[in-house]
Amino acid sequence: MKLSFAKLAQPKSGALVLGVTEGGALGPLGQEIDTAAQGALSRAIAADSRFKGKAGQSLSLPAPLVDSKITSVILAGLGNAEEIKAASLEAFGGTAQAILAGTGDTDGAIALDLTLGEDQPSAEEAAARIAMGAKLRAYRFDKYRTTEKKEDKPALKKLAVLAADTDAAKEAFAPLNAVAEGVIFTRNLVSEPANVLYPETFAKACEELTELGVEVDVLGEKEMRKLGMGALLGVAMGSAKEPKLVVMSWNGGKKSEKPVAFIGKGVCFDSGGISIKPAGGMEDMKWDMGGAGVVAGLMKALAGRKAKVNVVGLCGLVENMPSGTAQRPGDVVTSMSGQTIEVINTDAEGRLVLCDVLHYCNERFKPKQMVDLATLTGAIIIALGSDHAGLFSNSDALAEGITKAGLATGEKVWRLPLNDSYDKQINSDIADMKNTGSREGGSITAAQFLQRFVGKTDWAHIDIAGVTWSKKDSATVPKGGSGFGVRLLDTYVAETFETSDDK
Ligand code: BES
Ligand code: MN
Ligand code: ZN
């Protein structure tokens, strides 16, 4: 689908989605079309007792104009005009894209012909947000569908967002487009099956980011052995695939400034290892590299919009497999930090990978803050479902910043506690700690484990197990890999490190 901006005027052909607010009258373009259609739009609004212009509502008028090639006009709700924010405009754009994709037309347009209040998005910002929503919703991972019938594919080829000032809209869209590209990069990684995406090919995909000015360094097994990453390497032992550690840097800030660090769990397939998982749903474990996928997509987003900040992104990439060379329950491994770990359950592998990457990151970069993302525990899905990711942090300011960014982007997080009594639960009889607690508070004891490797550095851990894969379509996220975390952390970085007084 080709996305563009065009003049805010009656289109000559194709399908048109026109935004309508709750209880609001038609705007100037709506009125113009209504007049040309001899009042068909206002008659339809009056005749439909349900359509109130609420968000998510729509009213479709096929071919309402005589002597016009416009195939349909669809009125779509935006809700209360005064409450419209960037996120509601994105949701409108996404919903409008899905409506247009359902019309069967190859050409579509989206128009919003109303002026919002002073503290609300400007006209060009609104057009850009609508385009962002449409782009995110149009995503489809269909590279392996070789026999799909044409009529099953969305017909929509061209989508124009109508704007009073198309140049200003394009300019406002440029940074948003970069972020959307980052989200799509993540979704692609998350969607790829594990026979195609494994540590080596994942690292190759990250190397593409050099084109945007990201420095990419890939460590192999030998280098990691030298560094003493016994915890990460223990997980990789059962796999025929070599583990990799990808280190990406984007230097958009001042030379002297310490970087902000993002660390991702990249378990390209999690069979559970010797503590093997049940067969049902095991295919989902191809997306156990979701945290690393977000880190890669975030680097793409930040570099793509030339963010004025220094950032490092690290992806710990392994495959967790059972085999004659796999690590066993009861094994004791020595992490890079020197702390020893009794491996009670080989399926609690994510923390074993992350602990070495967190320690390495802290030592090498002395970052301002570290934020890790991981599809770490099934327990977080029991606690929070798919509406919020779990947030853990040793810094209130950091936790608040991420929480705020979650509310702004719709990628919401919910903070859970950390404390000594949870920490005690992972003490081991034979080593410094064990890699599982009991079933109780499973997401918290996992976070406590990670905290033992971050020293005094400000750190946050985001458990994204419940939000990495969407089971159903939503306004801007089609079913499948969501890319959850890219927009959240892009906004967090922008709001925390790129505000004007910081420049
Ligand atoms: N990758 C899983 C967690 C997961 C489960 C992610 C479901 C997405 C969907 C993780 O490695 C795991 O297996 N965790 C175990 C930990 C347990 C053995 C302490 C779990 O949650 O059951
Ligand atoms: Mn596991
Ligand atoms: Zn896992």
Side-chain angles (χ1 to χ4, degrees):
M1 188 190 78
K2 206 179 158 304
L3 187 63
S4 63
F5 292 96
K7 266 262 157 283
L8 184 64
Q10 192 177 317
K12 297 205 167 49
S13 62
L16 170 69
V17 170
L18 197 59
V20 183
T21 57
E22 198 170 340
L26 290 171
L29 178 62
Q31 281 175 24
E32 185 192 317
I33 296 172
D34 191 36
T35 306
Q38 287 150 0
L41 272 57
S42 34
R43 270 200 310 283
I45 295 173
D48 190 315
S49 62
R50 288 195 181 163
F51 184 80
K52 296 275 190 289
K54 286 190 181 159
Q57 287 187 326
S58 65
L59 181 56
S60 176
L61 290 90
L65 295 144
V66 186
D67 292 333
S68 162
K69 289 198 181 105
I70 291 183
T71 53
S72 57
V73 173
I74 302 118
L75 304 171
L78 272 145
N80 187 340
E82 283 157 28
E83 285 167 20
I84 293 176
K85 298 193 225 13
S88 24
L89 292 161
E90 288 169 8
F92 167 69
T95 305
Q97 193 283 334
I99 291 172
L100 291 168
T103 61
D105 208 316
T106 54
D107 276 34
I110 307 176
L112 182 62
D113 58 342
L114 71 132
T115 315
L116 297 167
E118 257 178 38
D119 49 352
Q120 286 178 293
S122 62
E124 56 264 26
E125 171 78 7
R129 291 285 169 182
I130 291 169
M132 167 91 158
K135 178 166 179 150
L136 291 173
R137 182 62 184 273
Y139 176 78
R140 223 169 165 252
F141 187 78
D142 54 8
K143 65 190 277 200
Y144 298 117
R145 296 194 199 180
T146 68
T147 59
E148 190 178 28
K149 293 194 206 82
K150 214 175 155 212
E151 57 265 35
D152 293 334
K153 290 191 182 173
L156 193 65
K157 293 280 170 310
K158 287 195 264 173
L159 174 61
V161 176
L162 308 188
D165 184 342
T166 51
D167 286 340
K170 258 188 224 162
E171 207 182 305
F173 183 56
L176 299 184
N177 188 44
V179 176
E181 290 290 337
V183 173
I184 288 167
F185 191 69
T186 302
R187 287 179 182 172
N188 284 337
L189 291 170
V190 165
S191 304
E192 283 290 356
N195 61 329
V196 175
L197 194 82
Y198 44 89
E200 189 186 335
T201 51
F202 190 124
K204 277 248 160 65
C206 292
E207 277 167 357
E208 269 175 42
L209 301 184
T210 51
E211 285 169 22
L212 293 173
V214 178
E215 279 170 38
V216 184
D217 194 11
V218 181
L219 281 66
E221 185 177 344
K222 238 175 141 181
E223 286 109 321
M224 289 191 270
R225 177 135 304 155
K226 233 173 159 177
L227 288 162
M229 295 189 171
L232 183 151
L233 291 171
V235 176
M237 254 168 56
S239 170
K241 308 275 194 228
E242 191 195 342
K244 300 279 182 191
L245 172 57
V246 177
V247 182
M248 294 171 275
S249 322
W250 166 253
N251 298 311
K254 291 190 201 113
K255 255 218 162 91
S256 59
E257 212 161 285
K258 293 258 174 270
V260 186
F262 297 97
I263 293 103
K265 166 179 172 181
V267 177
C268 295
F269 188 75
D270 179 14
S271 69
I274 296 296
S275 314
I276 197 163
K277 288 179 181 293
M282 204 203 272
E283 68 279 7
D284 284 351
M285 288 300 107
K286 73 169 184 182
W287 49 260
D288 207 20
M289 35 51 70
V294 170
V295 170
L298 176 65
M299 295 306 288
K300 177 155 182 155
L302 294 171
R305 67 170 182 80
K306 302 207 169 0
K308 290 191 168 58
V309 61
N310 295 337
V311 184
V312 291
L314 288 83
C315 298
L317 304 169
V318 300
E319 190 182 53
N320 188 23
M321 298 294 271
S323 81
T325 58
Q327 78 177 343
R328 295 141 292 247
D331 283 5
V332 174
V333 295
T334 303
S335 68
M336 182 182 169
S337 73
Q339 298 178 90
T340 56
I341 304 156
E342 181 187 11
V343 180
I344 299 293
N345 188 319
T346 65
D347 197 12
E349 84 299 339
R351 61 200 79 180
L352 296 170
V353 173
L354 286 173
C355 73
D356 275 338
V357 183
L358 283 165
H359 179 82
Y360 172 74
C361 177
N362 210 8
E363 291 272 290
R364 174 163 169 198
F365 295 105
K366 307 270 182 271
K368 273 192 205 163
Q369 322 183 318
M370 298 198 282
V371 178
D372 78 73
L373 297 113
T375 50
L376 202 65
T377 65
I380 204 71
I381 311 176
I382 305 299
L384 299 175
S386 54
D387 207 49
H388 288 82
L391 173 68
F392 302 83
S393 184
N394 59 5
S395 154
D396 290 344
L398 174 52
E400 265 165 44
I402 293 176
T403 303
K404 250 175 124 183
L407 293 173
T409 57
E411 294 185 343
K412 294 175 288 179
V413 298
W414 198 263
R415 191 176 182 186
L416 283 93
L418 292 166
N419 66 41
D420 282 350
S421 70
Y422 290 116
D423 184 72
K424 272 196 205 107
Q425 295 181 30
I426 54 168
N427 286 338
S428 157
D429 292 337
I430 180 178
D432 298 332
M433 70 196 88
K434 53 187 180 183
N435 76 331
T436 60
S438 65
R439 269 167 56 83
E440 290 174 23
S443 304
I444 306 177
T445 47
Q448 294 290 169
F449 183 97
L450 299 178
Q451 193 177 8
R452 291 191 182 203
F453 296 86
V454 302
K456 291 204 160 41
T457 305
D458 282 357
W459 155 80
H461 157 59
I462 310 178
D463 194 334
I464 55 172
V467 296
T468 293
W469 194 268
S470 302
K471 290 206 194 79
K472 54 179 191 332
D473 292 342
S474 65
T476 57
V477 185
K479 193 170 132 182
S482 66
F484 184 114
V486 175
R487 307 194 53 205
L488 170 73
L489 295 173
D490 170 71
T491 297
Y492 169 70
V493 167
E495 295 291 316
T496 315
F497 303 105
E498 297 179 273
T499 49
S500 46
D501 46 303
D502 214 50
K503 267 178 205 166

